[in-house]
C-alpha cells in the first residue's frame, strides 16, 4: 500500500526526522489557510498523487508552458492561483503513464533554501533477505539514470536483521554522502531514525529524493515516498487509515474487500483461477493460444460462493473483457460450490460474453452437472489446453 508524501512526512516526523513545515489541503481555501500558518515568504505548492516526477510533470488541461506539480509560490496570492490551477486537473508524469492522475489533494509547505540535494532509500533486498539503504550524492534526479550513467555514485549498505542498525551503518551513510562535521553526525542519526521507522511501520520501501542540506546546515526530508507490506497492515490500523482509494484501480479496490488477489492487465480474456501458480499457467496458455489475459485473479484456496460471485462481477465490470475463462482446481473448495457461485453470478450480472469453465478435483461431476443444467450458455472444458482453445475460439467467433 502506498501513501501520500505529506502522510509519509508526518509519520517520519514522529521519529524525530526533520521535515519542512507544511499543511495538506483539499480546497483552494484550505491551501491559502495552510500557507497563512507558515512563516513565508516562500511557499511550495505540491500536488499529492501516488507518483513521482511531479515537478517535471505537465497538466493535461493546461498549456505546454504551464508549470508542473511542484511550484514555488512567492505570495499568498500565488498560492491561491497555483492551488486553483492544480486541484481537479490531471497531472501526467513519467510515473503516471499517459492517462495521468487527477490531483485531489495538495501539500503547502515551507520553501527551503537548498545548499545540496542527496538521495537515500531503503527497501527489502530480496537477494540478501535484508534491509538495504541506498545512498547517493546525486539527489533530486532520476536514480535509475544515475545507476545507469554513474553507478560509482551509488552506495548500498545492508543491515543484518539479527544485529540491527549499528553505529557503523550510520557512519557509512554519512561517508557515502561525503558529509563532514555536524552534517556528518546528522546523517548518521537520520539513518538510524529511518531504520527504526522502516522496521516499526513494516515498510516495503522508503525513498527520500531529495534529502536536502539547507543553507543553515540542516538535513531535511524534502520529498518522500513510502509503501507498506500489505500483509503486515493489520498491525498498523493508523497506517491503514491513510489509504487513499481514489489513487488505486477501482476494480483492485473492490477485489481487496473480498480478499481476492486481482491485478488488471491489458488483454481481452478475463481469468478466474484458484492458486497463484495455476493463475500464471492459465495466463500463459491464453497467450500460447494467441490472445492476452485481461487480468490476474486468484480467488484463493478456500473461496466461498460469495467470493466467487464477487470475483465474477469484478471481471465483468471491466469493459475490455470479451470472454471469461474459469479454471478451478477443487481441493479445499469443492467444484459444486464453485459451479453454484458461477451460475449465481452469471445470472445476476446478465452474462453477455462467452464463458468457458474448466473444473477439476473434488465433486467435479456434480459441478459439471450444475453448469450443464443451469440453462446458461456455459462451455465446459476438460483440461487447461482445451479450455484455452475453447475460450479463444468462442471470443473470435463472437467478434
Ligand atoms: P517530485 O520528485 O515528484 O518531482 P519533489 O518534491 O522531489 O517532487 O520536488 C521536485 C524538486 O522541487 C525538488 O528536487 C526540489 O529541488 C524542489 N522542491 C521541492 N520541495 C521544495 C521545498 N519545500 N523548498 C524548495 N524546493 C523544493
Ligand atoms: Mg522527488
Amino acid at each position: 500500500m502506498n501513501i501520500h508524501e505529506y502522510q509519509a512526512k508526518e509519520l517520519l516526523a514522529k521519529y524525530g526526522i526533520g521535515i519542512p513545515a507544511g499543511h495538506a489541503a483539499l480546497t483552494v481555501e484550505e491551501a491559502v489557510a495552510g500557507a497563512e500558518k507558515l512563516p513565508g515568504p516562500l511557499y511550495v505548492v505540491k500536488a499529492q498523487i501516488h507518483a513521482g516526477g511531479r515537478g517535471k510533470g505537465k497538466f493535461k488541461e493546461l498549456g505546454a508552458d504551464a508549470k508542473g506539480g511542484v511550484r514555488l509560490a512567492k505570495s499568498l496570492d500565488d498560492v491561491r492561483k497555483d492551488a486553483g490551477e492544480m486541484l481537479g486537473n490531471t497531472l501526467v508524469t513519467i510515473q503516471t503513464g499517459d492517462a495521468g492522475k487527477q490531483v485531489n489533494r495538495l501539500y503547502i509547505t515551507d520553501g527551503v533554501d537548498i545548499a545540496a540535494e542527496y538521495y537515500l532509500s531503503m527497501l527489502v533486498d530480496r537477494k540478501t533477505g535484508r534491509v538495504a539503504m541506498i545512498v547517493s550524492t546525486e539527489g533530486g534526479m532520476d536514480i535509475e539514470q544515475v545507476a545507469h550513467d554513474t553507478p560509482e555514485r551509488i552506495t548500498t549498505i545492508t543491515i543484518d536483521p539479527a544485529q540491527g542498525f549499528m553505529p557503523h551503518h550510520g557512519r557509512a551513510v554519512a561517508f557515502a554522502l561525503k558529509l563532514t562535521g555536524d552534517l556528518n553526525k546528522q546523517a548518521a542519526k537520520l539513518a538510524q531514525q529511518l531504520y527504526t521507522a522502516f522496521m516499526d511501520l513494516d515498510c516495503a520501501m522508503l525513498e527520500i529524493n531529495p534529502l536536502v542540506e539547507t543553507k543553515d546546515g540542516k538535513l531535511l526530508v524534502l520529498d518522500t515516498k513510502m509503501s507498506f507490506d500489505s500483509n503486515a497492515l493489520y498491525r498498523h490500523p493508523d497506517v491503514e487509515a491513510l489509504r487513499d482509494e481514489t489513487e488505486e484501480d477501482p476494480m483492485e479496490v473492490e477485489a481487496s474487500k473480498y480478499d481476492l488477489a486481482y491485478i488488471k492487465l491489458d488483454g481481452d480474456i478475463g481469468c478466474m483461477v484458484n492458486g497463484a501458480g495455476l493463475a500464471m499457467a492459465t495466463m500463459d496458455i491464453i497467450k500460447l493460444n494467441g490472445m492476452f489475459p485481461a487480468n490476474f485473479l486468484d480467488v484463493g484456496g478456500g473461496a466461498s460462493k460469495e467470493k466467487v460471485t464477487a470475483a465474477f462481477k469484478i471481471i465483468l465490470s471491466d469493459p475490455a473483457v470479451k470472454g471469461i475463462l474459469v479454471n478451478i482446481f477443487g481441493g479445499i473448495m469443492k467444484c459444486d460450490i464453485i459451479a453454484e457461485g458461477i451460475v449465481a453470478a452469471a445470472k445476476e450480472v446478465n452474462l453477455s460474453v462467452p464463458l468457458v469453465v474448466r473444473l477439476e478435483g473434488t465433486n467435479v461431476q456434480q459441478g459439471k452437472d450444475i453448469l450443464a443444467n443451469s440453462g446458461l450458455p456455459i462451455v465446459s472444458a476438460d483440461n487447461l489446453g482445451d479450455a484455452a482453445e475453447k475460450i479463444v475460439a468462442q471470443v473470435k467467433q463472437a467478434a
Side-chain angles (χ1 to χ4, degrees), residues 300-342:
S304 60
K305 193 167 139 186
E306 288 68 36
K307 238 174 149 174
V308 171
T309 311
F312 219 79
K313 283 192 195 162
I314 289 164
I315 294 178
L316 277 173
S317 67
D318 177 357
V321 168
K322 298 203 180 85
I324 301 177
L325 173 53
V326 175
N327 184 20
I328 303 269
F329 180 80
I332 304 169
M333 178 163 54
K334 298 186 185 75
C335 292
D336 49 332
I337 304 284
I338 318 268
E340 277 172 17
I342 294 169

Side-chain angles (χ1 to χ4, degrees), residues 52-54 140 208-210 223-224:
R54 297 161 300 167
I208 300 170
N209 191 21
D223 181 22
T224 184

Side-chain angles (χ1 to χ4, degrees), residues 51-132:
R54 297 161 300 167
K56 294 201 178 87
K58 291 277 167 214
F59 283 96
K60 269 197 173 162
E61 296 82 355
L62 308 179
D65 320 323
K67 290 187 277 176
V70 176
R71 301 182 176 190
L72 294 180
K74 295 201 175 89
S75 66
L76 293 177
D77 277 344
D78 280 357
V79 170
R80 181 182 297 281
K81 187 168 159 284
D82 284 329
E85 273 190 31
M86 289 196 209
L87 279 171
N89 279 340
T90 314
L91 183 59
V92 180
T93 81
I94 44 164
Q95 293 185 6
T96 60
D98 293 342
K101 284 203 156 176
Q102 192 181 41
V103 177
N104 302 317
R105 302 183 195 203
L106 298 173
Y107 191 45
I108 316 302
T109 174
D110 256 346
V112 173
D113 239 345
I114 302 171
E117 299 194 331
Y118 305 103
Y119 177 93
L120 195 164
S121 69
M122 295 177 70
L123 47 84
V124 182
D125 180 353
R126 285 163 191 268
K127 227 187 247 168
T128 58
R130 295 175 178 192
V131 170

Side-chain angles (χ1 to χ4, degrees), residues 209-267:
N209 191 21
L211 169 70
V212 298
E213 176 188 329
T214 64
K215 292 235 168 89
D216 56 0
K218 287 199 179 65
L219 282 185
L220 291 181
V221 170
L222 213 67
D223 181 22
T224 184
K225 267 181 160 181
M226 214 173 187
S227 71
F228 300 87
D229 178 350
S230 311
N231 292 317
L233 277 178
Y234 74 98
R235 301 204 285 212
H236 308 286
D238 48 334
V239 171
E240 207 165 6
L242 302 177
R243 184 165 176 191
D244 180 356
E245 290 186 349
T246 64
E247 290 284 330
E248 299 172 23
D249 183 287
M251 285 181 251
E252 290 180 18
V253 171
E254 186 64 17
S256 71
K257 284 186 198 152
Y258 293 92
D259 207 18
L260 298 163
Y262 172 89
I263 314 276
K264 167 96 185 80
L265 301 169
D266 298 331

Side-chain angles (χ1 to χ4, degrees), residues 128-171:
T128 58
R130 295 175 178 192
V131 170
M133 278 196 181
I134 297 157
V135 194
S136 175
T137 47
E138 310 305 295
M141 306 186 215
D142 178 10
I143 196 69
E144 271 88 22
Q145 200 62 44
V146 178
H148 182 264
D149 299 342
T150 47
E152 69 283 359
R153 293 192 193 153
I154 296 181
T155 306
T156 302
I157 296 148
T158 27
I159 296 139
D160 182 337
Q163 197 184 34
F165 192 93
M166 304 293 279
H168 69 83
H169 293 124
R171 289 195 293 274

